[in-house]
Amino acid sequence: MLDFAKGDGLVPVVIQDEQTLEVLMLGYMNEEAWEKTQREGRVTFYSRSKNRLWTKGEESGHFLHLVSWHSDCDQDTLLIKVVPAGPTCHTGSRSCFKTEYNQNFLLQLERIVHQRYEVPSEESYVNRLRQRGINKIAQKVGEEAVETVIAALAETEHDFINESSDLLFHLLVLLREKGLDLQTIAKNLEGRHQ
């Protein structure tokens, strides 16, 4: 049970992208906003400046769709994982926190690959690669791995970065083709570490 009494009826709420784990924003909820969020599956805050409930995206359409929530050990702060329907920040940025780059872009790229599988389009490289079958996808991973090794040993840092990027991209496609994801690989690596 959340403790709304400690913060004069409000609890801070950290909003995190469910897929990329990027922190998108911080807001506050009172008990009514929390109940509405759970009931509707869209994040609603209590706006301290407007002095009323405010559903994120009510004007822009960029709602934050509730996936899961976790309270802290004192039951007075929430971490809410969401699927954002567009940019989170009113400035049009994906996050209200300015960072040099999206540290979790690989997870975002994985989501894009999955979307290309779900909604194929003729213009999509992922779709064209997928149509050629798993053998071609696996072959591309092998080619990119060899090119990465060559770049590491005999080419510029720029070439190595480009080849490494190609390798990771094609590996994401192969993982999706096999019905796996980065989370599965991360859990396996974490298990090996212990």
Side-chain angles (χ1 to χ4, degrees), residues 20-114:
T20 68
L21 305 180
E22 183 177 17
V23 174
L24 301 176
M25 67 175 292
L26 172 73
Y28 293 87
M29 287 184 181
N30 61 10
E31 199 162 356
E32 184 181 5
W34 175 228
E35 289 170 1
K36 183 176 181 184
T37 296
Q38 293 177 92
R39 186 174 58 250
E40 296 180 0
R42 291 180 175 170
V43 177
T44 296
F45 298 102
Y46 180 80
S47 171
R48 296 173 300 163
S49 60
K50 298 174 185 174
N51 202 27
R52 67 171 178 85
L53 293 186
W54 165 68
T55 299
K56 174 67 179 109
E58 65 187 21
E59 293 176 15
S60 66
H62 299 156
F63 296 103
L64 299 172
H65 299 284
L66 176 68
V67 174
S68 64
W69 62 274
H70 311 274
S71 57
D72 73 341
C73 56
D74 294 324
Q75 304 294 313
D76 61 0
T77 302
L78 275 174
L79 170 65
I80 295 183
K81 293 185 179 183
V82 301
V83 173
T88 299
C89 187
H90 71 282
T91 65
S93 296
R94 67 184 182 279
S95 170
C96 293
F97 297 97
K98 304 295 182 229
T99 56
E100 187 177 326
Y101 70 101
N102 180 356
Q103 296 94 342
N104 297 309
F105 182 73
L106 279 179
L107 295 170
Q108 186 175 344
L109 184 58
E110 180 182 49
R111 179 188 290 167
I112 292 166
V113 168
H114 283 251

Side-chain angles (χ1 to χ4, degrees), residues 132-145 170 174:
R132 296 176 75 184
I134 191 166
N135 289 344
K136 182 59 178 174
I137 297 169
Q139 179 185 348
K140 282 297 291 179
V141 171
E143 289 172 10
E144 297 302 342
H170 286 91
L174 182 59

